[in-house]
């Protein structure tokens, strides 16, 4: 039955031609390769939970009188967007769980994408032939950040509404075209003609997800075409890939990872409250709340807005507003340099060869130190988005906290660079440094003497290093085994050997 | 010693040089597979219980916590079971596949380029007029298609960034449509006001402060703008447009809660701290014969954040 179905399909789509190579695709075993998988799986969670949310969310700014399940605002005028988000939260069964999962998944998606990016950066995974895929990845991050911002703006609550107001000002600050961009997108000067929530909605649920899906396909397509990079483990060379084949080992592990990622997201959605919009209330342009922080991935931009000195450029009849520098120029430079980095490094080092073996970060001290310093700069900006909260908690003056961050943005990268460089250089002198240490057990024998034996890495797991076997040779192996068994059986090939059954 | 390892163990090979199925590479990673199998079975059972629990919680209209904990823990158990299966109960490998360089050969490139160029040349040769015409039509299409895509989205900015709804004689009106009279605001009090024609307006919103009981002169030429200590500024921050909502009475400053810019009320809302580059616009007030607070005129400068055409006023 299954055979017939397979034959029917295969005769028409020729799956077996080339499909075998796919089954045999080798995935290197290194924990850091899972970071991209987290991003992929949280994106799937985003799609699934997002579809659920679109079934109930009403993307409209029209005002209605609220008579829903949340009694404290019964009878008040709220927008349909806000009211329907409250309905998802309090009336739709499982709605709050799905909403919180969606929000958590967005944070995890961008978080894992950033950590994945750092892994690629510090190990040199962006080098030829993967420069294009690096650029695709950077664009995925940008789209993810945009979609995250649009997503948390949709409920029309007081916190996100303030964010939309700031977004309008940022758009407005663009030289030459700013006022046109802003009024076109919003349908007039802020808050526009009621167009912004419906527009954000269609961009957030259709246009950007489609763009992300397209880029993601390109990202993974190129991954298959290039095959994986790998660390210099035994047997790993520039002209091979060492690891586990897609079918069935990697498939099992990655499916496991999908369930673990989703499971963690569900648990967060269940017990960790996120974006309680009923506490913030409906957005009104003249209202604002204290300690307004955006989602974490916007933090560096908010921090940059805060630490920027109060400068503007005044030209005859024109001006370049203050927010342009931290909110347009800074991200513009950031993502341009990010995308250009493979070419910058290629130019500086003169190293234009193909690289499939990854660097250990310590072996490239300049790159590592540069990456650490740049990351430290954005981390300080991220911290600066909490100046008001820090001043409050630490009982310091806002003035002191702000100036501290202004100085830290410059000082921290300058300090981090030489420190990271020095650590790399020191580690280079310790070949075994960073290797997992196996614990030793002290055993007393019946005669009373003591001896030391290495503990098992995992209970029941043998740690011996094995030479890789060419996965494409398994076919001839299968034939050989069948011949040896003399009856066409191929036991022992990719099966648990008999003694373990 | 534990961290000293010999050379990697090569797979066993038979007489023909083929890898033997008895090689350690084809054996499972676990030393005691039965134990792992037992653990995996327990985890799958736990996931089953979790998923059934979710079904029950859902039909019983359980709380968010019950819904999430049942299915979430079920998924975690399922995931750990699959992970144990994949890690310990499958051939340990490692396996390898060959990899060819990505760069194509000179011959491949030349063959492609010559196909592309020769065929392309045949297609367009002596038809340059058609090519130009096609290009022109496509270019026009591109330009006109941009109109509905972009221009229809919203109105031109026009004067919308320069004008608010405040006019000469506008009554200061609260959000619940009440005209503000002298005495409505205590000393040290603050009130958000709008012109009557635009109550709730995002751009017209104005903050009325009453720091004292005698006229406040913030700048030369503004002698009559703050009668009896009533003073009004645009509530739209000159930095990023947030409502400048916090009034600090002791120091007579207005604070924007978004990025913590501070404005000195007595100095005409000059920014004294934070990123805001310009003072808040001041609304000239007067008190009419019936005791109502009204605007002498609209704002004399664009309110809110800067934009390219705003010009060089500071």
């Amino acid at each position: 039955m299954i055979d017939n179905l397979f034959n029917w399909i295969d005769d028409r789509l020729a799956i077996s031609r080339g499909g075998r190579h796919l089954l045999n695709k080798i995935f290197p075993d290194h924990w850091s390769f899972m970071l991209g998988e987290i991003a992929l799986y949280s994106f799937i969670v985003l799609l699934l939970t997002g579809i659920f949310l679109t079934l109930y969310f009403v993307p409209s700014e029209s005002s209605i009188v609220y008579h829903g399940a949340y009694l404290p605002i019964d009878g008040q005028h709220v927008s349909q967007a806000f009211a329907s988000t409250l309905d998802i939260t309090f009336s739709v069964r499982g709605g709050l769980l799905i909403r919180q999962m969606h929000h958590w998944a967005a944070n995890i998606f961008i978080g894992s994408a950033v950590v994945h990016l750092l892994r690629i950066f510090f190990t040199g995974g962006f080098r030829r032939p993967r420069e294009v895929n690096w650029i695709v990845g950077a664009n995925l991050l940008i789209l993810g950040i945009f979609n995250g911002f649009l997503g948390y703006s949709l409920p029309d609550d007081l916190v996100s509404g303030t964010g939309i107001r700031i977004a309008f000002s940022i758009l407005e600050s663009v030289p030459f075209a700013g006022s046109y961009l802003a009024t076109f997108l919003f349908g007039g000067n802020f808050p526009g003609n009621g167009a912004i929530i419906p527009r954000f909605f269609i961009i957030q649920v259709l246009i950007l997800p489609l763009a992300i899906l397209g880029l993601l396909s390109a990202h993974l397509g190129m991954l298959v075409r290039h095959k994986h990079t790998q660390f210099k483990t035994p047997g790993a060379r520039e002209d091979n890939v060492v690891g586990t084949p897609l079918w069935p080992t990697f498939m099992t592990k990655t499916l496991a990872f999908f369930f673990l990622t989703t499971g963690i997201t569900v648990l967060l959605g269940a017990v960790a409250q996120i974006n309680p919009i009923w506490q913030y209330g409906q957005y009104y342009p003249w209202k604002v709340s204290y300690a307004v922080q955006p989602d974490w991935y916007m933090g560096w931009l908010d921090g940059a807005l805060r630490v920027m000195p109060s400068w503007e450029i005044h030209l005859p009849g024109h001006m370049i507003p203050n927010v342009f520098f931290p909110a347009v120029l800074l991200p513009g430079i950031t993502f341009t340099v990010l995308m250009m980095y493979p070419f910058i490094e290629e130019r500086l080092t003169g190293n234009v060869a193909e690289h499939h073996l990854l660097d250990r970060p310590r072996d490239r001290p300049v790159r590592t130190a540069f990456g650490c310093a740049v990351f430290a700069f954005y981390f300080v900006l991220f911290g600066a988005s909490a100046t008001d909260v820090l001043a409050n908690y630490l009982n310091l003056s806002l003035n002191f906290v702000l100036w501290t961050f202004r100085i830290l943005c410059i000082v921290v990268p300058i300090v981090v660079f030489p420190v990271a460089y020095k650590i790399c250089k020191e580690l280079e002198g310790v070949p075994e440094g960073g290797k997992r240490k196996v614990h030793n057990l002290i055993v007393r024998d019946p005669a009373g003497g003591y001896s030391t034996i290495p503990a098992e890495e995992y209970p029941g797991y043998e740690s011996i290093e094995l030479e890789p076997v060419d996965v494409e040779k398994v076919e001839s192996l299968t034939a050989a085994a069948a011949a040896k068994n003399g009856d066409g059986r191929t036991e022992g090939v990719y099966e648990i050997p008999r003694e373990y059954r | 010693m534990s961290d000293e390892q010999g050379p990697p163990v090569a797979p066993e090979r038979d007489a023909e040089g083929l890898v033997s199925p008895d090689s350690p590479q084809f054996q499972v990673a676990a030393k005691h597979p039965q134990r792992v199998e037992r653990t995996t079975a327990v985890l799958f059972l736990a996931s089953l219980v979790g998923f059934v629990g979710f079904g029950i919680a859902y039909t019983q209209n359980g709380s968010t916590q019950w819904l999430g904990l049942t299915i979430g823990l079920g998924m975690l158990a399922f995931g750990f079971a699959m992970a144990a299966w994949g890690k310990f109960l499958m051939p340990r490998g490692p396996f390898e596949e060959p990899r060819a360089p990505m760069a194509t050969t000179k011959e491949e490139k030349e063959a492609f380029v010559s196909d592309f160029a020769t065929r392309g040349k045949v297609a367009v040769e002596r038809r340059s007029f058609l090519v130009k015409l096609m290009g022109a039509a496509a270019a026009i299409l591109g330009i006109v298609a941009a109109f509905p895509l972009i221009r229809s989205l919203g109105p031109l900015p026009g004067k919308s960034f320069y004008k608010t709804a405040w006019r000469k004689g506008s009554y200061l009106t609260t959000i619940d449509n009440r005209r503000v009279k002298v005495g409505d605001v205590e000393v040290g009090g603050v009130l958000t006001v709008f012109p009557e024609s635009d109550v709730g307006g995002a751009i017209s919103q104005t903050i009325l402060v009453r720091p004292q009981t005698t006229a406040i002169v913030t700048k030369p030429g503004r002698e009559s703008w703050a009668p009896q200590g009533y003073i009004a500024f645009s509530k739209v921050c000159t930095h990023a447009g947030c409502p400048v909502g916090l009034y600090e009475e002791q120091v007579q400053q207005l604070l924007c809660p978004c990025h913590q810019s501070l404005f000195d009320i007595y100095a005409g809302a000059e920014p004294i701290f934070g990123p805001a580059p310009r003072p808040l616009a001041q609304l000239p007030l007067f008190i009419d014969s019936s005791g109502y607070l009204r605007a002498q005129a609209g704002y004399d400068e664009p309110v809110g954040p800067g934009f390219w055409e705003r010009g060089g006023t500071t």
Side-chain angles (χ1 to χ4, degrees):
Chain A
M1 165 64 191
I2 298 269
D3 279 358
N4 285 341
L5 185 65
F6 171 73
N7 283 333
W8 191 91
I9 295 172
D10 197 44
D11 287 343
R12 283 151 186 85
L13 300 173
I15 291 164
S16 54
R17 193 180 300 149
R20 181 160 175 258
H21 287 293
L22 193 66
L23 293 183
N24 285 339
K25 178 172 167 51
I26 295 290
F27 290 78
D29 295 311
H30 193 268
W31 64 267
S32 67
F33 286 57
M34 297 192 303
L35 299 167
E37 286 179 61
I38 302 181
L40 177 64
Y41 294 140
S42 43
F43 182 65
I44 292 174
V45 174
L46 281 170
L47 288 182
L48 297 176
T49 51
I51 289 170
F52 179 93
L53 293 175
T54 54
L55 301 178
Y56 302 96
F57 180 70
V58 183
S60 166
E61 290 174 50
S62 338
S63 182
I64 55 160
V65 178
Y66 182 77
H67 288 301
Y70 186 61
L71 295 177
I73 61 160
D74 190 65
Q76 288 184 19
H77 287 270
V78 293
S79 72
Q80 288 198 332
F82 188 74
S84 59
T85 313
L86 286 182
D87 288 344
I88 291 171
T89 305
F90 295 113
S91 304
V92 177
R93 197 175 287 193
L96 178 60
L97 178 66
I98 299 285
R99 225 197 91 214
Q100 298 200 131
M101 274 177 70
H102 194 70
H103 205 128
W104 274 115
N107 281 314
I108 296 171
F109 174 60
I110 303 171
S112 51
V114 169
V115 184
H116 173 61
L117 179 148
L118 291 174
R119 199 283 288 172
I120 305 284
F121 178 85
F122 284 116
T123 59
F126 53 81
R127 290 173 298 174
R128 184 180 166 191
R130 295 181 179 76
E131 303 97 325
V132 181
N133 220 6
W134 168 263
I135 294 174
V136 169
N139 280 287
L140 277 168
L141 176 62
I142 297 171
L143 293 183
I145 290 174
F146 265 111
N147 220 24
F149 171 76
L150 295 182
Y152 74 68
S153 295
L154 287 178
D156 203 19
D157 60 280
L158 188 53
V159 171
S160 70
T162 311
I164 298 181
R165 166 72 241 201
I166 298 170
F168 183 93
S169 307
I170 292 169
L171 213 51
E172 190 187 346
S173 78
V174 175
F176 303 105
S179 17
Y180 294 86
L181 291 175
T183 50
F184 285 178
L185 181 64
F186 281 71
N189 194 357
F190 190 82
N193 56 4
I196 201 60
I197 295 282
R199 283 180 185 171
F200 274 14
F201 178 72
I202 203 65
I203 297 170
Q204 207 263 346
V205 304
L206 181 75
I207 298 172
L208 286 186
L210 270 184
I212 291 175
L213 264 179
L215 284 181
L216 201 58
S217 312
H219 204 58
L220 297 179
M222 274 188 264
L223 173 88
V224 172
R225 177 127 232 191
H226 290 139
K227 301 187 173 171
H228 276 71
T229 53
Q230 56 187 347
F231 285 102
K232 290 166 195 151
T233 50
R237 298 183 308 271
E238 287 283 0
D239 63 352
N240 72 352
V241 194
V242 174
T244 42
L246 175 69
W247 181 256
T249 315
F250 181 76
M251 196 54 110
T252 312
K253 286 183 177 178
T254 199
L255 213 62
F257 211 55
F258 169 74
F259 277 97
L260 293 177
T261 309
T262 313
I264 296 283
T265 313
V266 178
L267 290 182
L268 283 170
V271 300
Q273 186 182 72
I274 191 163
N275 203 21
I277 54 142
W278 60 94
Q279 293 176 8
Y280 307 150
Q282 163 77 38
Y283 173 68
Y284 297 103
W286 64 91
K287 278 192 181 172
V288 68
S289 70
Y290 174 70
V292 201
Q293 262 73 28
D295 270 19
W296 76 268
Y297 44 84
M298 301 294 284
W300 62 286
L301 284 170
D302 194 47
L305 280 168
R306 290 174 191 224
V307 296
M308 175 74 192
S310 59
W311 301 330
E312 294 189 321
I313 292 182
H314 295 283
L315 307 161
H318 295 286
M319 71 177 294
I320 301 176
N322 178 280
V323 291
F324 171 75
F325 303 100
V328 181
L329 196 62
L330 175 73
I333 292 173
T334 302
F335 288 113
T336 308
V337 171
L338 183 71
M339 285 187 229
M340 289 292 110
Y341 184 79
F343 309 102
I344 298 171
E345 188 181 297
E346 209 174 88
R347 177 66 61 88
L348 291 178
T349 59
N351 187 340
V352 292
E354 276 190 19
H355 293 279
H356 303 290
L357 284 177
L358 294 170
D359 294 323
R360 295 192 71 173
R362 64 162 82 151
D363 295 332
R364 294 279 178 274
V366 177
R367 181 205 291 148
T368 302
F370 173 73
C372 289
V374 170
F375 185 70
F377 172 71
Y378 290 102
F379 195 76
V380 173
L381 286 184
F382 173 73
S385 70
T387 44
D388 51 343
V389 180
L390 286 173
N392 223 351
Y393 274 113
L394 303 177
N395 235 337
L396 296 167
S397 87
L398 206 50
N399 198 326
F400 175 79
V401 175
L402 183 75
W403 271 103
T404 307
F405 274 105
R406 281 178 177 169
I407 294 164
L408 284 180
C409 300
I410 296 163
V411 170
V412 167
I414 294 174
V415 171
V416 163
F417 187 95
V419 169
Y421 184 85
K422 185 71 184 156
I423 291 174
C424 289
K425 282 292 183 191
E426 292 288 325
L427 281 173
E428 275 178 35
V430 191
E432 291 297 307
K435 206 167 188 177
R436 189 208 299 260
K437 294 205 171 42
V438 180
H439 295 285
N440 285 322
L441 293 178
I442 299 171
V443 185
R444 191 178 183 195
D445 59 33
Y450 291 92
S451 58
T452 310
I453 56 161
E456 288 174 331
E457 219 173 321
Y458 304 101
Y461 184 83
E462 250 183 298
S463 120
I464 44 165
E465 273 179 13
L466 300 175
E467 243 178 44
V469 178
D470 190 334
V471 73
E472 296 281 310
K473 297 259 170 68
V474 172
E475 186 181 43
S476 47
L477 176 73
T478 313
K484 200 166 80 178
N485 289 333
D487 53 3
R489 288 181 299 118
T490 56
E491 273 151 39
V493 181
Y494 230 103
E495 272 184 54
I496 302 174
R498 257 152 298 179
E499 61 267 30
Y500 287 124
R501 292 226 189 108
Chain B
M1 287 296 285
S2 61
D3 47 356
E4 271 179 24
Q5 271 169 343
V9 177
E12 292 170 25
R13 291 177 191 275
D14 61 15
E16 292 109 73
L18 291 170
V19 177
S20 155
D22 297 329
S23 300
Q25 280 84 347
F26 286 102
Q27 292 166 15
V28 298
K31 214 189 254 174
H32 312 291
Q34 291 90 346
R35 253 193 248 169
V36 181
E37 271 171 20
R38 258 200 311 274
T39 315
T40 310
V42 169
L43 284 167
F44 274 130
L45 259 179
S47 75
L48 197 147
V49 171
F51 297 150
V52 169
F54 175 77
I56 296 171
Y58 187 83
T59 51
Q60 299 302 309
N61 200 7
S63 68
T64 300
Q65 287 77 11
W66 275 113
L67 292 174
L69 286 175
T70 47
I71 198 171
L73 290 174
M75 282 179 174
L76 277 194
F78 195 93
F80 279 121
M82 296 288 288
W85 195 347
K87 191 164 176 61
F88 296 116
L89 297 180
M90 292 205 181
R92 62 190 305 166
F95 297 91
E96 66 173 335
E97 63 172 341
R99 176 206 323 261
M102 280 309 291
T104 50
T105 61
K106 198 162 167 254
E107 290 74 34
E108 284 172 312
K109 284 194 210 328
E110 278 169 359
F112 178 82
V113 169
S114 98
D115 279 4
F116 184 80
T118 29
R119 289 180 205 167
K121 208 173 148 203
V122 172
V124 301
E125 211 166 24
R126 274 175 285 152
R127 295 196 179 86
S128 68
F129 178 66
L130 286 187
V131 172
K132 278 175 195 156
L133 214 53
M134 181 184 77
I140 302 271
L141 171 68
I143 293 165
V144 297
F147 277 89
L149 275 181
I150 297 167
R151 179 61 191 89
S152 301
L153 285 173
L156 292 170
K159 288 282 161 206
S160 65
F161 288 121
Y162 297 88
K163 292 272 179 249
T164 67
W166 290 102
R167 299 282 176 275
K168 185 180 175 187
S170 294
Y171 286 92
L172 273 59
T173 314
T174 62
I175 186 64
D176 36 6
N177 279 308
R178 206 165 35 79
R179 289 177 178 177
V180 180
K181 260 184 140 168
V182 173
D184 282 357
V185 182
E186 301 287 322
V187 171
V190 65
L191 192 63
T192 300
V193 293
F194 306 89
E196 252 174 336
S197 58
D198 189 25
V199 172
I203 302 303
S204 301
Q205 58 175 308
T206 293
I207 188 157
L208 175 69
V209 195
R210 190 186 179 197
Q212 58 183 53
T213 51
T214 52
I216 301 164
V217 181
T218 55
K219 284 183 182 173
R222 297 186 178 180
E223 284 78 7
S224 67
W225 285 22
Q228 296 184 28
Y230 289 91
I231 187 164
F233 296 104
S234 164
K235 203 181 167 184
V236 187
C237 185
T238 55
H239 175 232
C242 291
V244 184
L246 296 179
Y247 169 51
E248 303 191 356
E249 191 199 342
Q250 292 186 342
V251 283
Q252 297 303 344
Q253 289 165 357
L254 291 168
L255 172 75
C256 177
C258 283
H259 306 104
Q260 288 79 45
S261 296
L262 273 177
F263 301 91
D264 181 349
I265 291 175
Y266 285 144
E270 279 288 346
I272 51 170
F273 178 75
R278 274 168 286 110
L280 302 168
Q282 184 178 349
L283 188 71
L285 302 180
F286 73 98
I287 298 166
D288 72 9
S289 50
S290 320
Y292 285 106
L293 279 162
R294 298 168 69 177
Q296 293 182 27
Y299 287 108
D300 62 353
E301 59 179 318
V303 301
F307 51 99
W308 175 246
E309 299 88 349
R310 191 181 185 278
T313 50
T314 49

